[in-house]
Amino acid sequence: MANIVEARDLALGYWRDKEPVAVLSGLDLYIKRGEFLTLVGPSGVGKSTLLRAIIGLSRPLSGTLDVNAHPNPGGRPSALVFQDPRLMPWRRVLGNVLFGLEALDLSRTERVRRAREALAKVGLADYEKRFPMQLSGGQRQRVGLARALAVQPDLLLMDEPFGALDAITRENLQDQLLDLWRNSGITVIFVTHDIEEAVYLSDRVMLLSGTPAAATSEHRIDLPRPRRRDEDTMTYIGEIKQSLADAFQGA
Amino acid sequence: MKSPVRLLSALLGLVALGVIWEGLSRSGVMSPMVIPPLSAVPEAFLREWQSGIWLDKVLASLRHYLIGLLIGSVLGVLAGIVVASMPRVEAAQAGLVRVLRPIPPLAWIPFAIIWFGVTETAATFIIAIGIFWINYYTSLGAVQSVDKGLLELADAFGHTGTTRQMFKVSLPAASPGILGGLRAGIGQGWMTVVAAELFGIPGIGQRMMDASGLLATDVVVVYMLTISALYALTDTLFVLVRNRILGPVHTNFDGRVAAPKRARQGARREV
Ligand SMILES: Nc1ncnc2c1ncn2[C@@H]1O[C@H](COP(=O)(O)OP(=O)(O)OP(=O)(O)O)[C@@H](O)[C@H]1O
Ligand SMILES: [Mg+2]
């Protein structure tokens, strides 16, 4: 199957008093292996809900959802960077990054090596002995990012991973993420509220809106890679902003 | 308040109590039968000590206490953890516990005596019951209130299965709560130890009962203060062990920063 994720007539949501409440419904989604897809849409529309379903934390209310990630040896099929960093307060930074690696069949030395490597990637090499409590919000988010990178997933799900970062750190991490993606051939599903970020990173930007939500529009970003923060990018940003505004009005 | 000031105030309070106490009995306001003069207490202690009774009774009580503490704590914590991880059992225990839990440990004395006679086992049993409930409830609550988001995190990163998640997530997350229960049990144990012995089971309680029969109030006070001291000792030891072994965990759960050793000296430690 060329598609790493396939959803047909998918409905997602939660149960209230034994009744299903749909957050997303009638969603058709085809994500190609190796694609970089970004989801945007108003707050509460169901972006996190969709990522949770893809990684297997919740089951569809109806419809089908197939995920076909292949782990490389010593890696996980998929990994999620949670919207809240979700760190374990009793583990140090290194311990938090090791958490995902502990479920894999790796030697202790290899785990630590990979955890340190991931921490270096997010610029936290000197922070491994700290506790989450001793980090800034942006640093915590980067630990969550390192934890996901460390397990070398085939499918990387990222829920607003750069939200709490300053512009320079953010651009830096964006470029690193693009390097990683290009060099490893993994698939990335990214969620952000920042349209510029969405356009700069993605092959395709998908807009979710409505209640219950569905994919209302889709933009293929045909900009050459490596990406630049230039006028062409601005054109796309304008287009998507316009269609977002329409979606808001339709909602 | 800074800690030296606090310590000084605490000392002052104690000294004031001693002065008033001594004054009341010297001036004849209170007869020594009602309250012995404070100055009589060291002498009474010396008598108890020299006759070997003090050490004897304290060791006997310590034995009941420690065995009861061990049994009650281990069973309470284990039961709490196991029940918390099994929703069906949790639902089934709710009614049972509602009936059993309000029964104070001392209300078990009649049964303890019927089952075990006036023996050390009976005292140990009563102590263990009180400590069991405290630990059962705190561990159950501590494990149940573990952040669901962290369990989800474990699922997402391949740590699946109840047992695995228990060791990877629930127990470390619940450990401050569980340790709090253990500490409360250490205190509660001393409260029941004396009462459990009042019925003639050898120990501090029995000695106090005998002394009060002879109106030897100074001896009674000796053992009251002995219990205070034993409680302070066990509690301090526990806190030391807790802070030593699980120090970083606690500093973080309390929201305090684990500062380097040198900088920490000035900070107030919660004891
Ligand atoms: N367990 C739940 N119980 C009730 N409502 C829920 C539950 N989980 C999610 N929701 C609702 O589902 C909707 C979608 O939530 P979701 O977190 O997916 O939104 P989102 O698009 O990620 O928003 P944001 O951009 O603010 O992160 C929200 O309206 C939320 O209130
Ligand atoms: Mg979200």
Side-chain angles (χ1 to χ4, degrees):
Chain A
M1 189 169 80
N3 291 325
I4 191 165
V5 178
E6 277 195 25
R8 260 173 252 106
D9 198 22
L10 181 67
L12 299 174
Y14 49 94
W15 293 82
R16 185 191 285 152
D17 305 327
K18 297 190 175 157
E19 291 293 318
V21 181
V23 172
L24 291 151
S25 83
L27 186 69
D28 293 310
L29 185 64
Y30 303 90
I31 302 173
K32 277 211 284 296
R33 190 169 290 284
E35 195 175 359
F36 198 124
L37 172 79
T38 296
L39 302 168
V40 295
S43 174
V45 79
K47 304 181 292 295
S48 300
T49 305
L50 180 55
L51 293 193
R52 288 166 45 83
I54 293 174
I55 199 153
L57 288 175
S58 72
R59 263 187 244 153
L61 297 176
S62 65
T64 58
L65 174 61
D66 293 318
V67 180
N68 249 299
H70 305 305
N72 42 349
R76 290 200 60 74
S78 54
L80 170 61
V81 181
F82 285 86
Q83 190 169 1
D84 54 325
R86 225 168 269 208
L87 304 179
M88 295 185 289
W90 63 88
R91 285 187 178 221
R92 292 173 195 270
V93 164
L94 186 67
N96 269 286
V97 178
L98 282 169
F99 183 70
L101 293 162
E102 287 164 9
L104 297 170
D105 189 18
L106 297 169
S107 71
R108 165 90 195 156
T109 353
E110 175 63 7
R111 279 181 206 152
V112 173
R113 194 191 64 73
R114 268 165 63 171
R116 292 219 165 105
E117 187 181 75
L119 277 171
K121 269 185 198 149
V122 300
L124 289 178
D126 295 336
Y127 289 79
E128 63 170 61
K129 292 233 168 65
R130 299 246 197 147
F131 284 100
M133 222 54 137
Q134 299 166 290
L135 299 178
S136 74
Q139 290 168 335
R140 282 180 211 162
Q141 224 176 8
R142 282 184 279 155
V143 176
L145 181 60
R147 179 176 56 199
L149 294 180
V151 298
Q152 304 179 350
D154 183 29
L155 173 61
L156 179 58
L157 310 173
M158 308 175 86
D159 202 344
E160 298 186 42
F162 306 147
L165 302 177
D166 66 279
I168 292 167
T169 311
R170 173 196 298 236
E171 289 186 3
N172 200 336
L173 283 173
Q174 285 171 351
D175 290 334
Q176 278 201 46
L177 173 62
L178 285 182
D179 282 349
L180 170 87
W181 170 71
R182 278 162 67 91
N183 295 332
S184 60
I186 64 170
T187 311
V188 178
I189 309 177
F190 196 93
V191 169
T192 180
H193 284 285
D194 180 345
I195 308 298
E196 185 183 332
E197 179 172 68
V199 170
Y200 182 73
L201 295 174
S202 319
D203 295 325
R204 189 155 59 112
V205 178
M206 208 168 101
L207 213 80
L208 297 174
S209 70
T211 33
T216 33
S217 70
E218 219 183 79
H219 296 258
R220 190 157 290 286
I221 313 297
D222 289 322
L223 297 171
R225 294 194 186 261
R227 291 285 163 82
R228 257 169 288 160
R229 302 170 202 276
D230 58 10
E231 231 168 89
D232 290 341
T233 311
M234 297 315 282
T235 315
Y236 273 101
I237 292 169
E239 253 176 58
I240 296 177
K241 280 202 170 140
Q242 184 55 49
S243 111
L244 244 185
D246 294 346
F248 267 104
Q249 265 155 15
Chain B
M1 221 191 289
K2 281 199 191 120
S3 66
V5 180
R6 266 190 78 86
L7 204 70
L8 206 69
S9 311
L11 276 175
L12 267 175
L14 277 176
V15 169
L17 176 73
V19 167
I20 295 171
W21 179 350
E22 189 68 20
L24 281 176
S25 72
R26 288 225 176 171
S27 63
V29 176
M30 300 271 212
S31 105
M33 227 92 91
V34 179
I35 292 181
L38 181 60
S39 52
V41 174
E43 200 192 316
F45 171 68
L46 222 66
R47 262 186 284 124
E48 292 288 303
W49 171 260
Q50 277 164 353
S51 63
I53 296 176
W54 187 86
L55 199 61
D56 220 40
K57 300 300 173 191
V58 165
L59 286 181
S61 285
L62 258 179
R63 198 160 55 234
H64 310 154
Y65 172 80
L66 290 177
I67 299 175
L69 182 70
L70 187 72
I71 295 175
S73 300
V74 169
L75 291 183
V77 169
L78 282 181
I81 291 169
V82 168
V83 170
S85 56
M86 299 195 287
R88 292 252 173 79
V89 180
E90 201 277 327
Q93 57 91 52
L96 185 72
V97 161
R98 199 156 282 213
V99 174
L100 287 179
R101 196 219 180 175
I103 302 171
L106 299 187
W108 287 96
I109 287 177
F111 275 116
I113 290 176
I114 292 167
W115 292 339
F116 306 109
V118 183
T119 59
E120 305 218 275
T121 316
T124 305
F125 171 75
I126 291 158
I127 295 161
I129 282 192
I131 293 173
F132 172 84
W133 284 120
I134 291 181
N135 282 290
Y136 178 69
Y137 264 88
T138 40
S139 323
L140 179 65
V143 173
Q144 279 178 329
S145 56
V146 169
D147 184 357
K148 297 288 171 292
L150 292 178
L151 295 171
E152 215 176 70
L153 173 80
D155 277 329
F157 279 89
H159 294 291
T160 49
T162 317
T163 319
R164 197 181 171 108
Q165 292 194 352
M166 184 57 78
F167 284 100
K168 283 277 175 201
V169 179
S170 300
L171 288 183
S175 62
I178 293 173
L179 285 163
L182 285 171
R183 189 180 176 188
I186 282 175
Q188 152 93 33
W190 283 117
M191 293 174 201
T192 34
V193 80
V194 173
E197 291 163 358
L198 287 177
F199 296 83
I201 297 159
I204 294 176
Q206 174 217 41
R207 181 67 183 156
M208 286 171 83
M209 208 59 192
D210 291 352
S212 85
L214 301 169
L215 298 179
T217 46
D218 49 353
V219 175
V220 174
V221 173
V222 165
Y223 285 99
M224 286 168 77
L225 295 179
T226 299
I227 292 163
S228 274
L230 287 171
Y231 169 69
L233 184 72
T234 44
D235 189 63
T236 308
L237 281 177
F238 179 80
V239 170
L240 277 180
V241 170
R242 186 195 72 175
N243 287 358
R244 252 312 118 101
I245 301 171
L246 298 161
V249 174
H250 278 268
T251 44
N252 275 279
F253 269 92
D254 296 350
R256 283 176 292 148
V257 167
K261 277 246 157 59
R262 254 168 293 118
R264 212 190 280 166
Q265 279 171 357
R268 193 155 68 95
R269 298 247 19 218
E270 187 240 355
V271 166

